[in-house]
Amino acid sequence: MSTPAPDVVRSAYAQLAVTDLAKARWFWVDMLGFHVQYENADSLYLRGTDELTHHSLVLRKGDIAALDHLSYRVRTTEDVDKAEKFFTELGRPVKRLKKGEGTVGVGDAVRVVDPLGFPVEFFHEIERGERLIQRYDLHRGAQIARLDHFNICTPDIPAAYAHYRSLGFGCSETIEGDEHELYAAWMYRKQTVHDVAFTGGAGPRLHHLGVATHESHQVLRTADIFGALHEEKHIERGPGRHGVSNAFYVYLRDPDGHRVEIYTSDYYTGDPDHETYRWNVHDDRRRDFWGNAVIESWYKEATPVLDLDGRQQPVSSSLLDESAVQVGADGLG
Ligand SMILES: [Fe+2]
């Protein structure tokens, strides 16, 4: 590889295809409190209270529920060119989108199918949004502050780790077997625990989007609101405390089954000598610090992903199955 990797700043937004835009709006806007920055007949462009860019989530009407693409912001316009060269040199499908050809609010961008099979975009330019941080009068529902991370299902975790290392990502935490075989990894560019994490399983599929609140009481409030409205079926797992990342969490499923994690209280990783923290796969605290069982749907179910032409991509099955490891915290195996 002679082409330098693009300088990725952070995970920036995801675009999901949803089958019923009105139902999706109820879930993401009314219940979670995302702000509508822009909308048209078949799409919603949403952001959290702390986000100063145009959107962190795009919901578009589709025939099937799927991930359209994940998107990373890069530092300069030259990094968009670098991304195009980097993935072309890898022999991956690459599509250049001039401003106006791609997502509303986003400038010149490159979309690729990465070596893991995921549709991924790299862009620099994006429109700004009004500052809502102190518009407390507009903070509703789960009071989502910002997008935090993507979690993707992939059958080959070492390959995923190697790919994101080649893009300059650091590794904050891992789950490893007794022989240091890699079951999962959390990787970052911004100075938090992660921008992307890998869950071993059939892939490419999107496991979940992680969205941040300021405090743990907002995670509890989210679960209470779903319960109060007798919409508890949308709560899949938690609330709880993760071992990995130390975050307080609850996992929800939207009306199409897309999974979202409401996530708060992880930690700073920006020092240059920050070391990877390694969990053993037999440590019952890794997925839930209090040892609560992880339900089977959380390990097995995920969102299919599209290719650059909008076709659903086939999946390959996993090389290692963390849920089959004989450990009490999973309640499986
Ligand atoms: Fe997560």
Side-chain angles (χ1 to χ4, degrees):
M1 172 65 67
S2 57
T3 307
D7 185 354
V8 175
V9 175
R10 61 178 173 96
S11 48
Y13 81 92
Q15 181 162 319
L16 298 177
V18 298
T19 59
D20 186 322
L21 201 57
K23 285 183 181 170
R25 184 188 185 107
W26 166 79
F27 181 88
W28 295 93
V29 176
D30 298 346
M31 298 295 279
L32 297 195
F34 272 92
H35 295 265
V36 180
Q37 180 69 13
Y38 174 80
E39 62 184 300
N40 56 31
D42 61 3
S43 302
L44 287 170
Y45 292 72
L46 309 178
R47 66 187 170 110
T49 58
D50 288 15
E51 288 172 321
L52 299 171
T53 47
H54 188 266
H55 57 261
S56 60
L57 177 64
V58 180
L59 305 173
R60 72 156 176 85
K61 174 83 174 67
D63 296 331
I64 58 161
L67 170 68
D68 192 288
H69 59 277
L70 303 173
S71 188
Y72 291 100
R73 191 169 195 194
V74 295
R75 195 159 305 276
T76 66
T77 53
E78 290 73 36
D79 286 300
V80 179
D81 300 331
K82 281 186 190 171
E84 182 176 22
K85 291 196 187 88
F86 184 88
F87 286 93
T88 299
E89 195 161 307
L90 288 176
R92 304 303 306 169
V94 172
K95 187 189 255 184
R96 188 82 185 220
L97 293 165
K98 295 289 171 203
K99 187 174 184 173
E101 293 176 346
T103 304
V104 172
V106 173
D108 190 21
V110 167
R111 286 191 199 161
V112 309
V113 176
D114 76 8
L116 314 175
F118 285 88
V120 177
E121 178 183 85
F122 298 87
F123 74 90
H124 169 70
E125 190 188 336
I126 185 167
E127 288 177 19
R128 309 295 289 179
E130 177 200 351
R131 181 179 149 95
L132 299 175
I133 294 170
Q134 290 173 317
R135 286 298 307 274
Y136 289 105
D137 53 313
L138 301 179
H139 297 191
R140 299 182 309 267
Q143 301 173 330
I144 300 303
R146 58 179 175 80
L147 173 73
D148 188 80
H149 61 266
F150 310 132
N151 188 305
I152 59 176
C153 289
T154 182
D156 188 343
I157 303 292
Y161 176 87
H163 172 60
Y164 273 93
R165 287 297 285 172
S166 77
L167 283 170
F169 282 58
C171 181
S172 57
E173 304 201 27
T174 60
I175 294 174
E176 300 180 11
D178 294 335
E179 307 299 321
H180 294 290
E181 60 274 33
L182 203 55
Y183 282 84
W186 283 257
M187 304 192 72
Y188 60 93
R189 285 294 295 174
K190 70 180 182 321
Q191 299 177 345
T192 62
V193 168
H194 59 321
D195 287 285
V196 65
F198 319 127
T199 299
R205 294 180 301 161
L206 174 67
H207 191 273
H208 66 265
L209 302 177
V211 297
T213 61
H214 287 151
E215 299 176 45
S216 52
H217 73 77
Q218 285 148 326
V219 175
L220 296 171
R221 169 184 159 83
T222 306
D224 278 339
I225 294 172
F226 277 92
L229 295 176
H230 213 322
E231 297 287 351
E232 71 283 357
K233 66 177 182 288
H234 292 281
I235 304 172
E236 183 186 35
R237 182 185 155 201
R241 168 84 63 193
H242 283 310
V244 173
S245 80
N246 191 51
F248 201 76
Y249 70 89
V250 65
Y251 291 94
L252 308 169
R253 304 291 290 272
D254 89 347
D256 275 302
H258 296 306
R259 184 182 290 109
V260 59
E261 177 184 25
I262 317 299
Y263 174 98
T264 193
S265 308
D266 65 349
Y267 58 89
Y268 170 74
T269 57
D271 272 23
D273 55 355
H274 188 84
E275 292 182 7
T276 303
Y277 190 85
R278 301 173 191 280
W279 291 83
N280 184 278
V281 72
H282 296 288
D283 189 332
D284 288 357
R285 301 170 303 167
R286 71 195 191 286
R287 292 286 184 187
D288 184 282
F289 197 57
W290 309 326
N292 285 323
V294 178
I295 64 170
E296 188 168 11
S297 65
W298 190 90
Y299 272 121
K300 302 298 183 194
E301 296 175 9
T303 291
V305 309
L306 305 180
D307 65 16
L308 298 184
D309 298 315
R311 291 182 299 249
Q312 186 174 336
Q313 298 209 54
V315 298
S316 308
S317 51
S318 181
L319 305 177
L320 276 178
D321 184 0
E322 184 189 337
S323 74
V325 174
Q326 293 277 354
V327 284
D330 292 333
L332 297 171

